[in-house]
């Protein structure tokens, strides 16, 4: 990831730490498909997915979350370019930063020159996952376009908000905690 950030012009150590902090909390640096919610409490599912599951009783949610395909097809049915049918499951979160939605698979596939819509599991290839993460966090702009961060907390917060879709993110605290794993070296070459 660091090598690909450097190649892409993201050389500010604080920006790198911010991106790495989000990736750490999202995937632990292992590109993977979104984890099953089968053992997640219904209250947590309601907090995460809000109105998409609001009309389900606890017993209905228990049945739904026991089948990953049905669950993702419901909660992601019409989000980020998904068109219903099997799109929710097919374009569930993957990669280093848990890219979700057919629209994002198309957009970032076009940016990196790979058919992610036709082959969504390619998002879990480590090199492809790194390319997608950089494209996602830069939105196609040079690394020099990021703000000048004063510290790791500010950088982790900035990139957590990008990863959450541009809103103030409840994921900030996890990214900030992950930033403690990284330090800025005085001997950067």
């Amino acid at each position: 990831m660091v090598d690909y950030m450097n190649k892409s012009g993201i050389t500010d150590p604080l920006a790198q730490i911010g991106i790495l902090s989000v990736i750490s909390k999202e995937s632990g640096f292992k590109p993977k498909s979104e984890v099953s919610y089968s053992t997640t409490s219904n209250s947590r599912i309601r907090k995460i997915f809000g109105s998409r599951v609001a009309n389900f009783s606890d017993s209905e949610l228990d049945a739904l979350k026991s089948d990953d395909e049905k669950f993702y097809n419901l909660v992601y049915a019409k989000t980020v370019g998904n068109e219903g049918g099997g799109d929710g499951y097919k374009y569930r979160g993957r990669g280093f930063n848990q890219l979700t939605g057919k629209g994002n698979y198309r957009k970032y596939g076009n940016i990196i020159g790979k058919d992610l819509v036709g082959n969504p599991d390619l998002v879990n290839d480590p090199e492809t996952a790194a390319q997608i993460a950089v494209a996602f966090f830069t939105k196609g702009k040079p690394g020099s376009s990021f703000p000048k961060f004063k510290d790791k907390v500010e950088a982790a917060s900035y990139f957590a908000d990008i990863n959450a879709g541009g809103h103030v993110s409840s994921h900030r605290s996890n990214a900030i905690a992950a930033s403690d794993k990284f330090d800025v070296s005085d001997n950067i070459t």
Side-chain angles (χ1 to χ4, degrees):
M1 213 32 240
V2 172
D3 288 343
Y4 197 76
M5 285 190 284
N6 284 330
K7 272 196 248 181
S8 301
I10 303 170
T11 57
D12 173 18
L14 291 174
Q16 289 182 347
I17 287 171
I19 290 171
L20 293 173
S21 297
V22 172
I23 290 172
S24 177
K25 77 154 185 90
E26 289 290 328
S27 66
F29 300 101
K30 294 176 186 149
K32 59 186 176 184
S33 297
E34 191 168 358
V35 297
S36 175
Y37 286 87
S38 63
T39 61
T40 305
S41 72
N42 290 338
S43 61
R44 175 97 175 112
I45 288 173
R46 290 180 198 289
K47 184 176 180 182
I48 295 168
F49 295 105
S51 63
R52 293 178 256 178
V53 297
N55 294 329
F56 288 85
S57 69
D58 280 343
S59 61
E60 289 170 324
L61 264 182
D62 288 339
L64 182 65
K65 69 184 181 183
S66 71
D67 182 326
D68 289 342
E69 196 164 339
K70 285 181 183 176
F71 181 81
Y72 290 120
N73 283 336
L74 174 87
V75 299
Y76 294 141
K78 300 281 185 177
T79 59
V80 197
N82 288 345
E83 300 166 6
D87 282 359
Y89 181 75
K90 188 173 184 179
Y91 303 108
R92 67 194 180 280
R94 285 189 182 83
F96 282 137
N97 61 314
Q98 296 297 285
L99 187 72
T100 305
K102 187 176 186 178
N104 278 335
Y105 278 63
R106 181 179 296 110
K107 177 180 180 176
Y108 295 102
N110 288 340
I111 289 172
I112 68 169
K114 295 183 180 178
D115 180 12
L116 303 178
V117 171
N119 186 2
D121 286 326
L122 190 56
V123 176
N124 284 335
D125 169 72
E127 184 175 324
T128 302
Q131 293 170 341
I132 291 166
V134 167
F136 188 88
F137 288 117
T138 63
K139 305 294 185 223
K141 297 177 186 171
S144 61
S145 68
F146 293 136
K148 186 70 179 154
F149 301 109
K150 64 182 179 205
D151 57 34
K152 296 186 299 186
V153 169
E154 185 179 65
S157 297
Y158 177 86
F159 290 107
D161 288 351
I162 289 174
N163 201 60
H167 328 104
V168 172
S169 169
S170 61
H171 301 285
R172 278 183 174 185
S173 61
N174 292 333
I176 291 167
S179 73
D180 287 339
K181 298 175 185 175
F182 308 100
D183 207 350
V184 178
S185 171
D186 292 331
N187 300 327
I188 298 172
T189 56

